[in-house]
PDB file of all heavy atoms in Angstrom:
ATOM      1  N   THR A  10     -36.090 -21.519  31.592  1.00 79.00           N
ATOM      2  CA  THR A  10     -37.460 -21.634  31.065  1.00 79.00           C
ATOM      3  C   THR A  10     -37.697 -22.692  29.983  1.00 79.00           C
ATOM      4  O   THR A  10     -38.707 -22.896  29.498  1.00 79.00           O
ATOM      5  CB  THR A  10     -37.882 -20.345  30.395  1.00 79.00           C
ATOM      6  OG1 THR A  10     -36.931 -20.066  29.311  1.00 79.00           O
ATOM      7  CG2 THR A  10     -37.792 -19.160  31.349  1.00 79.00           C
ATOM      8  N   GLU A  16     -37.265 -35.243  35.192  1.00 46.00           N
ATOM      9  CA  GLU A  16     -36.259 -35.052  36.268  1.00 46.00           C
ATOM     10  C   GLU A  16     -35.868 -33.550  36.340  1.00 46.00           C
ATOM     11  O   GLU A  16     -34.694 -33.225  36.288  1.00 46.00           O
ATOM     12  CB  GLU A  16     -34.995 -35.904  35.883  1.00 46.00           C
ATOM     13  CG  GLU A  16     -35.328 -37.396  35.855  1.00 46.00           C
ATOM     14  CD  GLU A  16     -34.091 -38.233  35.608  1.00 46.00           C
ATOM     15  OE1 GLU A  16     -33.031 -37.640  35.446  1.00 46.00           O
ATOM     16  OE2 GLU A  16     -34.193 -39.458  35.443  1.00 46.00           O
ATOM     17  N   ALA A  44     -37.659 -18.285  35.445  1.00 77.00           N
ATOM     18  CA  ALA A  44     -38.352 -19.626  35.323  1.00 77.00           C
ATOM     19  C   ALA A  44     -39.655 -19.563  34.623  1.00 77.00           C
ATOM     20  O   ALA A  44     -40.354 -18.573  34.707  1.00 77.00           O
ATOM     21  CB  ALA A  44     -38.398 -20.273  36.717  1.00 77.00           C
ATOM     22  N   ASP A  45     -39.975 -20.683  34.019  1.00 69.00           N
ATOM     23  CA  ASP A  45     -41.255 -20.856  33.350  1.00 69.00           C
ATOM     24  C   ASP A  45     -42.407 -20.976  34.410  1.00 69.00           C
ATOM     25  O   ASP A  45     -42.253 -21.800  35.325  1.00 69.00           O
ATOM     26  CB  ASP A  45     -41.269 -22.070  32.431  1.00 69.00           C
ATOM     27  CG  ASP A  45     -42.533 -22.082  31.548  1.00 69.00           C
ATOM     28  OD1 ASP A  45     -43.648 -21.895  31.969  1.00 69.00           O
ATOM     29  OD2 ASP A  45     -42.234 -22.260  30.287  1.00 69.00           O
ATOM     30  N   PRO A  56     -39.137 -25.559  45.636  1.00 53.00           N
ATOM     31  CA  PRO A  56     -39.350 -24.191  46.072  1.00 53.00           C
ATOM     32  C   PRO A  56     -38.268 -23.162  45.690  1.00 53.00           C
ATOM     33  O   PRO A  56     -37.116 -23.678  45.420  1.00 53.00           O
ATOM     34  CB  PRO A  56     -39.509 -24.367  47.616  1.00 53.00           C
ATOM     35  CG  PRO A  56     -38.685 -25.553  47.935  1.00 53.00           C
ATOM     36  CD  PRO A  56     -38.891 -26.460  46.741  1.00 53.00           C
ATOM     37  N   TYR A  84     -40.117  -8.231  31.340  1.00 97.00           N
ATOM     38  CA  TYR A  84     -40.456  -6.819  31.636  1.00 97.00           C
ATOM     39  C   TYR A  84     -40.048  -6.455  33.082  1.00 97.00           C
ATOM     40  O   TYR A  84     -39.490  -5.371  33.291  1.00 97.00           O
ATOM     41  CB  TYR A  84     -41.913  -6.587  31.401  1.00 97.00           C
ATOM     42  CG  TYR A  84     -42.292  -5.107  31.316  1.00 97.00           C
ATOM     43  CD1 TYR A  84     -42.033  -4.327  30.146  1.00 97.00           C
ATOM     44  CD2 TYR A  84     -42.925  -4.499  32.378  1.00 97.00           C
ATOM     45  CE1 TYR A  84     -42.383  -3.004  30.090  1.00 97.00           C
ATOM     46  CE2 TYR A  84     -43.249  -3.179  32.324  1.00 97.00           C
ATOM     47  CZ  TYR A  84     -42.981  -2.409  31.203  1.00 97.00           C
ATOM     48  OH  TYR A  84     -43.309  -1.097  31.077  1.00 97.00           O
ATOM     49  N   ASP A  91     -33.165  -1.270  35.094  1.00 96.00           N
ATOM     50  CA  ASP A  91     -33.344   0.201  34.836  1.00 96.00           C
ATOM     51  C   ASP A  91     -33.310   0.943  36.131  1.00 96.00           C
ATOM     52  O   ASP A  91     -32.810   2.120  36.098  1.00 96.00           O
ATOM     53  CB  ASP A  91     -34.585   0.483  33.987  1.00 96.00           C
ATOM     54  CG  ASP A  91     -34.401   0.033  32.522  1.00 96.00           C
ATOM     55  OD1 ASP A  91     -33.326  -0.052  32.046  1.00 96.00           O
ATOM     56  OD2 ASP A  91     -35.493  -0.082  31.892  1.00 96.00           O
ATOM     57  N   ASP A  94     -29.931   1.426  36.873  1.00 94.00           N
ATOM     58  CA  ASP A  94     -29.139   2.013  35.739  1.00 94.00           C
ATOM     59  C   ASP A  94     -28.104   1.024  35.214  1.00 94.00           C
ATOM     60  O   ASP A  94     -26.998   1.412  34.851  1.00 94.00           O
ATOM     61  CB  ASP A  94     -28.582   3.334  36.139  1.00 94.00           C
ATOM     62  CG  ASP A  94     -28.102   4.152  34.882  1.00 94.00           C
ATOM     63  OD1 ASP A  94     -28.727   3.993  33.828  1.00 94.00           O
ATOM     64  OD2 ASP A  94     -27.190   4.987  34.999  1.00 94.00           O
ATOM     65  N   MET A 128     -24.098 -20.137  26.187  1.00 81.00           N
ATOM     66  CA  MET A 128     -24.928 -21.260  26.010  1.00 81.00           C
ATOM     67  C   MET A 128     -24.263 -22.430  26.688  1.00 81.00           C
ATOM     68  O   MET A 128     -23.871 -23.470  26.043  1.00 81.00           O
ATOM     69  CB  MET A 128     -25.163 -21.603  24.456  1.00 81.00           C
ATOM     70  CG  MET A 128     -26.175 -20.688  23.857  1.00 81.00           C
ATOM     71  SD  MET A 128     -25.576 -18.994  23.783  1.00 81.00           S
ATOM     72  CE  MET A 128     -24.293 -19.139  22.517  1.00 81.00           C
ATOM     73  N   PRO A 139     -34.388 -34.142  23.749  1.00 42.00           N
ATOM     74  CA  PRO A 139     -33.885 -35.109  24.655  1.00 42.00           C
ATOM     75  C   PRO A 139     -32.385 -35.283  24.593  1.00 42.00           C
ATOM     76  O   PRO A 139     -31.706 -35.646  25.575  1.00 42.00           O
ATOM     77  CB  PRO A 139     -34.578 -36.381  24.241  1.00 42.00           C
ATOM     78  CG  PRO A 139     -35.764 -35.950  23.489  1.00 42.00           C
ATOM     79  CD  PRO A 139     -35.337 -34.737  22.821  1.00 42.00           C
ATOM     80  N   GLN A 151     -43.148 -18.409  15.604  1.00 91.00           N
ATOM     81  CA  GLN A 151     -42.702 -18.196  17.065  1.00 91.00           C
ATOM     82  C   GLN A 151     -42.383 -16.867  17.455  1.00 91.00           C
ATOM     83  O   GLN A 151     -42.721 -16.337  18.537  1.00 91.00           O
ATOM     84  CB  GLN A 151     -41.546 -19.175  17.390  1.00 91.00           C
ATOM     85  CG  GLN A 151     -41.883 -20.647  17.394  1.00 91.00           C
ATOM     86  CD  GLN A 151     -40.684 -21.565  17.495  1.00 91.00           C
ATOM     87  OE1 GLN A 151     -39.701 -21.344  16.736  1.00 91.00           O
ATOM     88  NE2 GLN A 151     -40.749 -22.496  18.357  1.00 91.00           N
ATOM     89  N   CYS A 160     -47.083  -7.627  23.437  1.00 98.00           N
ATOM     90  CA  CYS A 160     -48.020  -6.514  23.219  1.00 98.00           C
ATOM     91  C   CYS A 160     -49.308  -6.661  24.042  1.00 98.00           C
ATOM     92  O   CYS A 160     -49.823  -5.682  24.595  1.00 98.00           O
ATOM     93  CB  CYS A 160     -48.385  -6.405  21.743  1.00 98.00           C
ATOM     94  SG  CYS A 160     -47.029  -5.853  20.685  1.00 98.00           S
ATOM     95  N   LEU A 205     -45.974   9.295  28.879  1.00 98.00           N
ATOM     96  CA  LEU A 205     -46.413   9.107  27.506  1.00 98.00           C
ATOM     97  C   LEU A 205     -45.346   9.510  26.519  1.00 98.00           C
ATOM     98  O   LEU A 205     -45.555  10.394  25.671  1.00 98.00           O
ATOM     99  CB  LEU A 205     -47.697   9.905  27.207  1.00 98.00           C
ATOM    100  CG  LEU A 205     -48.524   9.643  25.929  1.00 98.00           C
ATOM    101  CD1 LEU A 205     -49.164   8.295  26.041  1.00 98.00           C
ATOM    102  CD2 LEU A 205     -49.556  10.718  25.700  1.00 98.00           C
ATOM    103  N   PRO A 211     -32.931   4.874  19.651  1.00 93.00           N
ATOM    104  CA  PRO A 211     -32.068   3.709  20.126  1.00 93.00           C
ATOM    105  C   PRO A 211     -31.094   3.971  21.147  1.00 93.00           C
ATOM    106  O   PRO A 211     -30.550   3.025  21.775  1.00 93.00           O
ATOM    107  CB  PRO A 211     -31.511   3.257  18.771  1.00 93.00           C
ATOM    108  CG  PRO A 211     -31.531   4.452  17.841  1.00 93.00           C
ATOM    109  CD  PRO A 211     -32.765   5.184  18.167  1.00 93.00           C
ATOM    110  N   HIS A 245     -33.341  18.408  12.070  1.00 95.00           N
ATOM    111  CA  HIS A 245     -33.038  19.701  12.437  1.00 95.00           C
ATOM    112  C   HIS A 245     -32.630  20.602  11.226  1.00 95.00           C
ATOM    113  O   HIS A 245     -31.718  21.422  11.224  1.00 95.00           O
ATOM    114  CB  HIS A 245     -31.986  19.886  13.488  1.00 95.00           C
ATOM    115  CG  HIS A 245     -32.441  19.221  14.763  1.00 95.00           C
ATOM    116  ND1 HIS A 245     -33.176  19.872  15.743  1.00 95.00           N
ATOM    117  CD2 HIS A 245     -32.279  17.970  15.243  1.00 95.00           C
ATOM    118  CE1 HIS A 245     -33.425  19.072  16.738  1.00 95.00           C
ATOM    119  NE2 HIS A 245     -32.838  17.941  16.427  1.00 95.00           N
ATOM    120  N   ASP A 261     -38.077  17.595   8.071  1.00 98.00           N
ATOM    121  CA  ASP A 261     -38.599  18.235   9.225  1.00 98.00           C
ATOM    122  C   ASP A 261     -39.956  18.888   8.991  1.00 98.00           C
ATOM    123  O   ASP A 261     -40.516  19.484   9.860  1.00 98.00           O
ATOM    124  CB  ASP A 261     -37.599  19.258   9.807  1.00 98.00           C
ATOM    125  CG  ASP A 261     -36.451  18.673  10.496  1.00 98.00           C
ATOM    126  OD1 ASP A 261     -35.530  18.195   9.866  1.00 98.00           O
ATOM    127  OD2 ASP A 261     -36.439  18.558  11.732  1.00 98.00           O
ATOM    128  N   VAL A 271     -52.881  10.588   9.501  1.00 98.00           N
ATOM    129  CA  VAL A 271     -52.412  11.295  10.597  1.00 98.00           C
ATOM    130  C   VAL A 271     -50.953  11.660  10.460  1.00 98.00           C
ATOM    131  O   VAL A 271     -50.144  10.725  10.225  1.00 98.00           O
ATOM    132  CB  VAL A 271     -52.665  10.581  11.899  1.00 98.00           C
ATOM    133  CG1 VAL A 271     -52.236  11.445  13.154  1.00 98.00           C
ATOM    134  CG2 VAL A 271     -54.113  10.124  12.043  1.00 98.00           C
ATOM    135  N   THR A 285     -53.032  24.055   8.917  1.00 98.00           N
ATOM    136  CA  THR A 285     -54.243  23.580   8.282  1.00 98.00           C
ATOM    137  C   THR A 285     -54.782  24.676   7.375  1.00 98.00           C
ATOM    138  O   THR A 285     -54.729  25.842   7.540  1.00 98.00           O
ATOM    139  CB  THR A 285     -55.368  23.268   9.345  1.00 98.00           C
ATOM    140  OG1 THR A 285     -55.667  24.507  10.083  1.00 98.00           O
ATOM    141  CG2 THR A 285     -54.907  22.213  10.351  1.00 98.00           C
ATOM    142  N   GLY A 301     -33.604  24.588  12.721  1.00 98.00           N
ATOM    143  CA  GLY A 301     -34.672  24.569  11.718  1.00 98.00           C
ATOM    144  C   GLY A 301     -35.378  25.903  11.512  1.00 98.00           C
ATOM    145  O   GLY A 301     -35.778  26.285  10.444  1.00 98.00           O
ATOM    146  N   MET A 304     -33.289  28.018   9.501  1.00 98.00           N
ATOM    147  CA  MET A 304     -33.213  27.504   8.060  1.00 98.00           C
ATOM    148  C   MET A 304     -34.499  27.680   7.377  1.00 98.00           C
ATOM    149  O   MET A 304     -34.693  27.367   6.200  1.00 98.00           O
ATOM    150  CB  MET A 304     -32.795  26.011   8.117  1.00 98.00           C
ATOM    151  CG  MET A 304     -31.389  25.845   8.534  1.00 98.00           C
ATOM    152  SD  MET A 304     -30.848  24.092   8.615  1.00 98.00           S
ATOM    153  CE  MET A 304     -30.761  23.660   6.852  1.00 98.00           C
ATOM    154  N   ALA A 307     -40.596  26.502   8.931  1.00 98.00           N
ATOM    155  CA  ALA A 307     -41.974  26.836   8.982  1.00 98.00           C
ATOM    156  C   ALA A 307     -42.506  27.331   7.634  1.00 98.00           C
ATOM    157  O   ALA A 307     -43.516  26.862   7.097  1.00 98.00           O
ATOM    158  CB  ALA A 307     -42.236  27.993  10.009  1.00 98.00           C
ATOM    159  N   VAL A 326     -53.787  28.317   8.612  1.00 98.00           N
ATOM    160  CA  VAL A 326     -53.694  28.498  10.040  1.00 98.00           C
ATOM    161  C   VAL A 326     -52.531  27.707  10.615  1.00 98.00           C
ATOM    162  O   VAL A 326     -52.289  26.647  10.205  1.00 98.00           O
ATOM    163  CB  VAL A 326     -54.955  27.992  10.686  1.00 98.00           C
ATOM    164  CG1 VAL A 326     -54.772  28.020  12.214  1.00 98.00           C
ATOM    165  CG2 VAL A 326     -56.243  28.876  10.280  1.00 98.00           C
ATOM    166  N   ASP A 343     -22.928  33.927  18.692  1.00 95.00           N
ATOM    167  CA  ASP A 343     -23.030  34.006  17.255  1.00 95.00           C
ATOM    168  C   ASP A 343     -24.358  33.514  16.753  1.00 95.00           C
ATOM    169  O   ASP A 343     -24.937  34.062  15.837  1.00 95.00           O
ATOM    170  CB  ASP A 343     -21.905  33.199  16.634  1.00 95.00           C
ATOM    171  CG  ASP A 343     -20.518  33.919  16.735  1.00 95.00           C
ATOM    172  OD1 ASP A 343     -20.455  35.075  17.097  1.00 95.00           O
ATOM    173  OD2 ASP A 343     -19.498  33.160  16.561  1.00 95.00           O
ATOM    174  N   ALA A 350     -31.119  39.247  14.341  1.00 98.00           N
ATOM    175  CA  ALA A 350     -31.317  39.814  13.029  1.00 98.00           C
ATOM    176  C   ALA A 350     -32.689  39.720  12.480  1.00 98.00           C
ATOM    177  O   ALA A 350     -33.232  40.537  11.753  1.00 98.00           O
ATOM    178  CB  ALA A 350     -30.290  39.193  12.047  1.00 98.00           C
ATOM    179  N   ILE A 374     -42.865  35.720  13.683  1.00 98.00           N
ATOM    180  CA  ILE A 374     -42.399  36.839  12.829  1.00 98.00           C
ATOM    181  C   ILE A 374     -42.124  36.380  11.326  1.00 98.00           C
ATOM    182  O   ILE A 374     -42.542  36.903  10.369  1.00 98.00           O
ATOM    183  CB  ILE A 374     -41.159  37.525  13.415  1.00 98.00           C
ATOM    184  CG1 ILE A 374     -41.565  38.250  14.654  1.00 98.00           C
ATOM    185  CG2 ILE A 374     -40.487  38.483  12.365  1.00 98.00           C
ATOM    186  CD1 ILE A 374     -40.325  38.809  15.424  1.00 98.00           C
ATOM    187  N   ILE A 391     -52.207  26.341  27.880  1.00 77.00           N
ATOM    188  CA  ILE A 391     -52.689  25.372  28.832  1.00 77.00           C
ATOM    189  C   ILE A 391     -53.920  26.043  29.571  1.00 77.00           C
ATOM    190  O   ILE A 391     -53.789  27.110  30.117  1.00 77.00           O
ATOM    191  CB  ILE A 391     -51.713  24.935  29.996  1.00 77.00           C
ATOM    192  CG1 ILE A 391     -50.497  24.384  29.241  1.00 77.00           C
ATOM    193  CG2 ILE A 391     -52.269  24.019  30.940  1.00 77.00           C
ATOM    194  CD1 ILE A 391     -49.311  24.180  30.155  1.00 77.00           C
ATOM    195  N   GLN A 421     -43.024  14.683  23.346  1.00 98.00           N
ATOM    196  CA  GLN A 421     -44.402  14.796  23.069  1.00 98.00           C
ATOM    197  C   GLN A 421     -44.565  15.168  21.638  1.00 98.00           C
ATOM    198  O   GLN A 421     -43.576  15.366  20.868  1.00 98.00           O
ATOM    199  CB  GLN A 421     -45.004  15.922  23.949  1.00 98.00           C
ATOM    200  CG  GLN A 421     -44.278  17.280  23.988  1.00 98.00           C
ATOM    201  CD  GLN A 421     -43.474  17.441  25.203  1.00 98.00           C
ATOM    202  OE1 GLN A 421     -43.606  16.862  26.194  1.00 98.00           O
ATOM    203  NE2 GLN A 421     -42.488  18.374  25.134  1.00 98.00           N
TER     204      GLN A 421
END
Side-chain angles (χ1 to χ4, degrees):
T10 62
E16 298 182 4
D45 192 311
Y84 194 78
D91 285 339
D94 196 24
M128 283 67 70
Q151 288 172 311
C160 290
L205 193 68
H245 297 275
D261 286 79
V271 183
T285 60
M304 295 178 71
V326 170
D343 287 345
I374 291 170
I391 302 172
Q421 51 259 339

